[in-house]
Amino acid sequence: MIEERIGVRQLTILVIHFMLGTSILIAPSNLAFVAKQDGWIACMLGILIVAVSVFLYDALARRYPKLTFTGIIEVIVGKWIGKLISLLLFAYLFLLTAFLVRVAGNFIATQILPETPIEAVSIILLAVIVAAVGYGIETIARASEMLFFPVLILLALLVLFLLPESKPTNLLPILERGPKPIMLSAFYLFTLQEVAVFLMLYPNVSKPEKTRLAMLKGIMVGGIALTLTTTFCLMVLGTELTERNIFASYSLAKKISVAQFLRVDAFMAIIWLIALFFKAAISYYGASVALAETLGIRRYRVLILPLGMLVMWLSIIVYQNIVEFLNFTPAIWSLFCICFVIVLPMLLIVIDRLRFGSKPGGQPKTAGKSQEQQPAEQAQQTNDQDQNGDQTQDRQIQDLLTDDQGQAGEQDQQTDNQGQASTPDAGQDKAADQEQLNINGSNNDHMPPPTTQPLQ
Amino acid sequence: MFLLLKMVFVISLLIPLAGCWGRLELNDMAITMGLGLDLADDNSYIVSIQVVDAGEASATKGSLGRSPVVIYSSKGKTIAEAMQRMTASSPRTIYNSHLRILIIGEKLARHGVREVLDYVSRDRQFRTDFPVVIAKNDMANSTLKLLTPIESIPAIQMMRALQNSEKHWAPTIAIHFDELIQGLIAKGRQPVVTGVVMIGNAEAGSNRSNIQTTSPKNRLKFTGLSVFRKDRLIGWMTEEESRGFNIAMGKAYRGTGNVGCDDGDKVALEVQESSSKLGSKLRGDKVDLSIDLKIEANVEEVACSMPMTKDETIRELEKRAEATLRRIIEKTLERVQHEMKSDIFGFGEQVHRHYPKYWKKVSNDWDMHFAEAQVKLNIDVKIRLLGTVTNVIEPEDTQ
Amino acid sequence: MPLSIVWIIIIAGIVIGIQRGMLFNKPNANKGSTGEKIAFYTLLVLGVGLNIALFKDWLMVSPLNVLRMMFGPAAEAIAQWGMVGK
């Protein structure tokens, strides 16, 4: 039973924003630094690897469609080890959010508002992020849809106006230093995408069977945008300048002067800020949900405010100066990411198979229900419950999955007693839902129904 | 209640939007139009800026008699220090984002420009689209002082003049700041920078009386290009040689050239389209370089009496044009390749692109290899149009 | 007390106020379960404490150093492998 629904297209758009987030500004410089003029090849390769990793996540999530990443962890490896690992995952997401906020502050402080202390920018950005997550992932998804077209248009303008100034010969000689720099660079790029964060959102997608396709579409579009940006950086600025400029694509935007007077570099900053905001919001959502699930708290919203203060603190402490950042991010952060982005999912899949065979684990405590009973129960609850539309959809999905896989793959069914339906408050205002969390089935069988209390 | 709070919160979020922390009012700004960098005798830098006096420059009701621009100047061990020191005499905050031209004194250019350019490229206020020139045999300081007719702000005048003459007069090209940086960083190419000379004298030129006549005694003129090696200026090219360079790089634009006729007089051809390709071919241990030049020209002025309507004439003119161009470019090559030994054409980059392994071997002393390489010229001129008339004006004998 | 610390405490106060008003209310699922309250207040205290420490320049050590220690050598090795002839 998930309350907040993200449409399939919204997922795609979220992924695109996520991919553009930090990468569009920092990646070209890093790519050029390692792979020199072959940076564009490395970019494409990195994106391909990301796309492949989606299949990995899909394999994991398909078995537990209603669980977030932390939920899946706890089901597969057991409660206590699971909580430990979930805590680490939380740390990863938390760190990620802090990084993003800090990088945003750095960029603005360097290029746009040089006299403003970074903290001021960070606080404002953080306030918006916290508020956004407070409104829920659904709201964030809708906002991303709205803000998507400006981003696309601005990117298109970038490409269009730079075409006349681009010199493809700057991309030669190809493969001058062999494939190794390209592979290394692609590896760095791939880990920096951090797409695994979306595993925290999988349960929220309205049509789980379409999740994989949505993610792939998003990755492809985001990847193309990123590759185009990198390629143009190399073609227009040349390898040396791309390496040299920390915010290479911003320098690229500075070169555009429409009719000799219109300067569009501010637009680039806007695109980037929007994309970064969504990346940070999703990461923060993931972090809050991860922490809430680990601690067994049902409403992740409770945590977002104090957690915000901690993010503020961390974002300042996380690195002293930009050189640290540049040295740390590709090398060490990428290895840290690998743990969560590749190693963990793979391990989970393996353990999952070993432990539970063909049926995913963690049947609810009130199990002993056979498959036939479940639809009946569902029907009962459907009738009784304050209708959100969730239930029927739940059932449809359940049927679908049951048909596909022959499993009773639901972890978090409405197995509770109606007596617990506390709020008759029928403000069906989905936009302001207060969300109830679904804890993994193995340790919780009581799921209070969604309280639809609008945030006042 | 909470609704009110939320609204207050949202509205309060609008306040930081204006970026008030770093605000700078327009009339607190001294907008720098031209920047001049020089080397002082004790190896410290002299930084001069040409700042607009807004009230004067755009005076609609008749000027106040002041100069439209003011020059501030100061010394420092680093450029940044000099800029800071300048604020002691400037009543307003110096704002560099609208820089129109950067002038480097020749002494500084010969000493090495790497350090000064770092400041300009690192500082966030400077953009990269302004041209750079070198004050030949002079200090940038003096060059900035000159007042110019027509355009009240000399820096803008210089920038416009440079851009215009780039389009119409072959020896001049405008090198923009980012091109210069690219040329400096690139391993296979050495940069060139346009030179500017002063005719007359700076002190007299900084007086308004200079521009109160029809032909000002003191003015600026763009001359031939300077050749760099690494980041030091090593020599100047003459106008002819600069022309050769530009033509060889395919930048002849609408330059005009004279071709000799049979009877010793000249025909003027104007270039309509030109394109050039640099080529390199590896031959064992050496590399042969080549320039392929394609030019389409129109006849602009016929000062001799060759019959213009005959095919042979045109072909003859084309051949002569090719020969003339060949001569010019060869002269340039002679000077740059053998005398100055600096690859300003970018052959090195070509070699890097096509023969990366060979490039690895020679990249460290490429200029020496360049000096010894054979450069083959393939020039192809095609004359397209004759203008609006065919034959020359032949005054009839009235007997 | 330095101004920034006052600010931090004010913000903490606002946070508690918002939380109380919006999430720990009676209609909102039993005033917030005990677990939630513990988590919330712990995090809040942590947040306030750390921020104050930050402003007083204590505890400036970045937690990233842990990561650096763990992954340092491996990262070096990978970089060496990839960056041929730089």
Side-chain angles (χ1 to χ4, degrees):
Chain A
M1 166 222 75
I2 310 291
E3 282 192 44
E4 303 191 6
R5 302 245 141 208
I6 308 180
V8 171
R9 192 175 66 170
Q10 287 171 342
L11 181 63
T12 307
I13 296 183
L14 276 178
V15 171
I16 298 178
H17 279 294
F18 199 83
M19 303 256 313
L20 294 181
T22 36
S23 305
I24 206 172
L25 217 54
I26 306 181
S29 170
N30 193 289
L31 287 168
F33 182 70
V34 178
K36 298 280 187 275
Q37 65 268 17
D38 296 325
W40 59 290
I41 305 181
C43 193
M44 294 199 293
L45 191 58
I47 301 294
L48 226 62
I49 306 181
V50 177
V52 165
S53 70
V54 170
F55 285 93
L56 185 65
Y57 306 143
D58 192 63
L60 188 60
R62 221 161 246 265
R63 308 249 300 161
Y64 302 94
K66 301 276 188 137
L67 290 186
T68 65
F69 202 0
T70 37
I72 299 179
I73 293 177
E74 286 194 30
V75 168
I76 294 184
V77 292
K79 190 165 169 197
W80 294 109
I81 309 182
K83 283 207 190 290
L84 204 61
I85 300 186
S86 299
L87 218 53
L88 287 177
L89 182 67
F90 160 72
Y92 170 61
L93 293 169
F94 185 55
L95 208 54
L96 181 59
T97 314
F99 257 127
L100 292 173
V101 170
R102 174 62 186 264
V103 170
N106 251 355
F107 173 65
I108 306 240
T110 317
Q111 299 279 14
I112 307 187
L113 296 173
E115 295 173 31
T116 319
I118 294 190
E119 292 89 346
V121 179
S122 299
I123 289 186
I124 296 179
L125 186 60
L126 209 50
V128 182
I129 292 177
V130 167
V133 175
Y135 277 112
I137 191 77
E138 207 177 308
T139 316
I140 297 179
R142 278 200 217 137
S144 79
E145 254 189 314
M146 283 197 320
L147 290 171
F148 179 58
F149 281 109
V151 170
L152 255 194
I153 294 178
L154 295 172
L155 275 176
L157 282 182
L158 213 67
V159 169
L160 224 71
F161 284 120
L162 286 173
L163 265 177
E165 296 201 38
S166 55
K167 292 182 238 160
T169 49
N170 270 337
L171 297 176
L172 296 174
I174 304 193
L175 286 175
E176 180 189 5
R177 293 149 79 225
K180 282 205 223 157
I182 297 184
M183 294 201 286
L184 181 66
S185 200
F187 168 69
Y188 285 155
L189 185 74
F190 155 62
T191 52
L192 284 175
Q193 297 307 313
E194 292 131 356
V195 174
V197 176
F198 276 90
L199 271 175
M200 297 298 292
L201 269 78
Y202 268 43
N204 292 324
V205 183
S206 59
K207 299 196 190 136
E209 68 277 9
K210 294 231 175 116
T211 312
R212 181 171 71 189
L213 188 60
M215 298 272 294
L216 283 176
K217 279 204 255 183
I219 290 176
M220 279 302 135
V221 175
I224 292 180
L226 201 53
T227 311
L228 275 179
T229 312
T230 308
T231 314
F232 270 93
C233 275
L234 287 172
M235 287 204 289
V236 176
L237 298 173
T239 317
E240 296 91 1
L241 278 185
T242 313
E243 258 184 76
R244 198 169 178 262
N245 276 320
I246 302 175
F247 300 118
S249 43
Y250 189 68
S251 303
L252 198 65
K254 275 201 202 174
K255 278 195 103 46
I256 304 178
S257 66
V258 183
Q260 283 235 338
F261 71 93
L262 202 59
R263 300 285 159 104
V264 297
D265 28 323
F267 280 143
M268 184 79 197
I270 295 179
I271 303 177
W272 184 71
L273 209 55
I274 295 179
L276 178 106
F277 163 72
F278 282 111
K279 187 164 180 175
I282 297 177
S283 307
Y284 190 55
Y285 169 78
S288 316
V289 169
L291 188 60
E293 289 200 356
T294 314
L295 298 179
I297 297 179
R298 285 190 241 119
R299 297 182 296 171
Y300 75 91
R301 279 216 186 94
V302 173
L303 302 175
I304 57 172
L305 283 171
L307 211 55
M309 295 183 73
L310 283 171
V311 172
M312 182 74 220
W313 166 77
L314 192 59
S315 79
I316 297 189
I317 248 199
V318 96
Y319 55 85
Q320 300 268 29
N321 52 55
I322 193 134
V323 175
E324 265 188 40
F325 172 69
L326 288 175
N327 283 335
F328 172 84
T329 308
I332 305 187
W333 179 247
S334 60
L335 285 179
F336 185 49
C337 281
I338 277 280
C339 296
F340 296 98
V341 167
I342 291 278
V343 172
L344 189 56
M346 281 220 263
L347 272 179
L348 286 176
I349 294 185
V350 166
I351 298 180
D352 183 44
R353 294 283 161 167
L354 287 179
R355 198 171 158 191
F356 297 117
S358 54
K359 289 192 185 180
Q363 298 294 335
K365 262 198 202 153
T366 51
K369 288 189 194 348
S370 54
Q371 248 175 306
E372 317 88 66
Q373 281 189 11
Q374 285 164 3
E377 266 220 16
Q378 281 290 81
Q380 177 194 20
Q381 292 159 17
T382 309
N383 296 335
D384 295 344
Q385 278 257 358
D386 230 359
Q387 196 38 263
N388 275 7
D390 282 9
Q391 317 312 326
T392 30
Q393 242 177 323
D394 255 23
R395 184 155 51 132
Q396 288 168 1
I397 295 172
Q398 187 186 7
D399 289 343
L400 257 170
L401 285 174
T402 318
D403 292 341
D404 287 350
Q405 301 170 6
Q407 301 163 358
E410 312 308 88
Q411 305 310 310
D412 40 18
Q413 323 183 7
Q414 297 287 347
T415 56
D416 70 335
N417 330 320
Q418 272 318 109
Q420 279 203 358
S422 44
T423 49
D425 211 0
Q428 299 277 347
D429 188 355
K430 277 203 148 189
D433 273 354
Q434 191 173 5
E435 193 218 16
Q436 296 287 333
L437 250 215
N438 305 300
I439 320 281
N440 35 74
S442 60
N443 61 359
N444 197 334
D445 52 338
H446 288 313
M447 218 68 52
T451 50
T452 51
Q453 184 86 347
L455 262 187
Q456 303 195 24
Chain B
M1 164 61 188
F2 272 113
L3 190 57
L4 184 65
L5 260 185
K6 279 203 295 189
M7 280 174 46
V8 168
F9 174 65
V10 168
I11 294 184
S12 68
L13 276 183
L14 287 176
I15 298 180
L17 211 58
C20 283
W21 218 299
R23 74 178 179 282
L24 192 59
E25 299 293 332
L26 202 56
N27 54 9
D28 286 338
M29 282 200 258
I31 305 183
T32 311
M33 288 300 190
L35 177 66
L37 302 170
D38 285 305
L39 192 66
D41 290 326
D42 57 352
N43 276 355
S44 61
Y45 300 109
I46 302 180
V47 176
S48 327
I49 55 173
Q50 188 185 88
V51 165
V52 183
D53 180 349
E56 181 62 36
S58 59
T60 40
K61 283 211 191 144
S63 58
L64 302 166
R66 299 202 299 254
S67 152
V69 293
V70 181
I71 312 286
Y72 292 109
S73 196
S74 68
K75 240 166 89 154
K77 287 247 166 32
T78 61
I79 308 281
E81 183 187 328
M83 288 290 253
Q84 302 288 30
R85 195 164 278 142
M86 206 136 33
T87 58
S89 42
S90 160
R92 298 183 180 183
T93 314
I94 297 174
Y95 185 62
N96 291 316
S97 286
H98 295 277
L99 193 67
R100 288 289 189 243
I101 195 158
L102 171 64
I103 309 183
I104 304 182
E106 181 166 345
K107 203 160 150 210
L108 179 57
R110 286 196 186 261
H111 173 87
V113 294
R114 194 168 36 94
E115 292 126 5
V116 305
L117 291 184
D118 183 85
Y119 174 76
V120 179
S121 75
R122 201 177 287 269
D123 188 87
R124 69 181 67 83
Q125 276 188 353
F126 291 102
R127 294 187 200 262
T128 55
D129 58 354
F130 50 87
V132 182
V133 292
I134 300 198
K136 190 168 179 182
N137 291 331
D138 210 346
M139 301 253 292
N141 206 335
S142 327
T143 318
L144 278 178
K145 285 196 190 148
L146 209 70
L147 284 177
T148 52
I150 301 189
E151 189 67 54
S152 55
I153 303 176
I156 297 187
Q157 206 258 17
M158 276 200 270
M159 178 190 86
R160 290 249 186 96
L162 193 56
Q163 286 172 346
N164 275 332
S165 69
E166 176 184 36
K167 287 199 198 121
H168 298 109
W169 178 233
T172 345
I173 44 170
I175 304 280
H176 290 154
F177 183 71
D178 52 350
E179 285 170 33
L180 179 58
I181 301 272
Q182 274 175 343
L184 283 173
I185 301 183
K187 254 187 149 183
R189 181 158 64 102
Q190 304 293 352
V192 293
V193 184
T194 321
V196 67
V197 252
M198 175 136 51
I199 303 180
N201 134 340
E203 291 311 320
S206 58
N207 198 322
R208 270 208 115 150
S209 57
N210 185 41
I211 49 175
Q212 284 171 346
T213 74
T214 47
S215 51
K217 282 224 182 73
N218 310 291
R219 46 201 160 82
L220 293 174
K221 195 167 95 99
F222 291 112
T223 78
L225 302 171
S226 59
V227 175
F228 275 64
R229 195 189 301 144
K230 296 260 176 75
D231 70 325
R232 285 166 203 231
L233 190 156
I234 55 173
W236 292 92
M237 291 199 281
T238 64
E239 251 182 42
E240 273 283 291
E241 290 159 1
S242 307
R243 206 148 152 245
F245 170 70
N246 283 329
I247 296 177
M249 298 294 279
K251 291 203 189 141
Y253 297 150
R254 286 177 173 270
T256 313
N258 298 329
V259 175
C261 295
D262 284 335
D263 54 359
D265 280 331
K266 306 259 190 237
V267 169
L269 297 171
E270 184 186 305
V271 174
Q272 299 298 317
E273 310 236 352
S274 88
S275 74
S276 89
K277 245 170 88 167
L278 301 177
S280 57
K281 215 159 168 156
L282 194 58
R283 187 170 49 94
D285 219 8
K286 288 184 180 285
V287 62
D288 287 334
L289 308 171
S290 62
I291 305 180
D292 293 321
L293 190 60
K294 285 199 184 24
I295 293 204
E296 292 188 11
N298 292 346
V299 172
E300 279 289 296
E301 181 186 331
V302 178
C304 68
S305 46
M306 284 173 83
M308 283 293 131
T309 43
K310 292 225 187 111
D311 278 341
E312 304 91 63
T313 320
I314 302 296
R315 254 172 276 147
E316 184 62 30
L317 284 176
E318 285 178 358
K319 271 207 271 192
R320 298 220 181 127
E322 288 168 13
T324 314
L325 285 173
R326 184 177 296 268
R327 200 177 20 95
I328 298 177
I329 299 182
E330 273 174 2
K331 223 166 126 204
T332 311
L333 275 174
E334 170 69 33
R335 183 95 200 283
V336 172
Q337 209 184 356
H338 299 134
E339 231 183 87
M340 297 207 234
K341 298 209 204 327
S342 172
D343 176 13
I344 54 176
F345 297 93
F347 281 113
E349 279 183 336
Q350 273 293 306
V351 173
H352 181 190
R353 290 198 186 119
H354 293 144
Y355 304 109
K357 294 214 183 69
Y358 175 72
W359 174 249
K360 251 202 200 147
K361 280 192 281 172
V362 296
S363 58
N364 286 333
D365 53 355
W366 166 245
D367 287 310
M368 297 301 145
H369 289 263
F370 169 66
E372 295 164 16
Q374 299 274 35
V375 184
K376 205 165 109 158
L377 298 173
N378 303 322
I379 307 184
D380 181 26
V381 176
K382 290 225 174 356
I383 296 185
R384 296 286 183 208
L385 301 174
L386 295 181
T388 51
V389 298
T390 51
N391 274 323
V392 252
I393 305 172
E394 290 272 356
E396 296 296 329
D397 267 326
T398 47
Q399 282 293 346
Chain C
M1 263 212 280
L3 189 60
S4 25
I5 295 193
V6 176
W7 269 115
I8 296 179
I9 298 190
I10 292 181
I11 294 185
I14 296 181
V15 165
I16 297 183
I18 299 181
Q19 201 80 341
R20 272 250 171 87
M22 300 210 296
L23 294 172
F24 286 164
N25 278 341
K26 192 136 196 211
N28 276 314
N30 317 318
K31 267 181 153 174
S33 68
T34 333
E36 288 179 350
K37 286 220 176 108
I38 296 179
F40 172 70
Y41 283 110
T42 320
L43 284 179
L44 192 64
V45 166
L46 213 58
V48 172
L50 286 174
N51 272 313
I52 293 186
L54 193 65
F55 277 100
K56 291 207 136 189
D57 287 332
W58 304 332
L59 284 184
M60 288 287 277
V61 178
S62 163
L64 290 189
N65 288 334
V66 171
L67 286 181
R68 285 210 188 91
M69 285 194 307
M70 287 204 295
F71 293 109
E76 289 279 314
I78 294 187
Q80 286 280 22
W81 174 85
M83 308 263 284
V84 284
K86 219 226 114 180

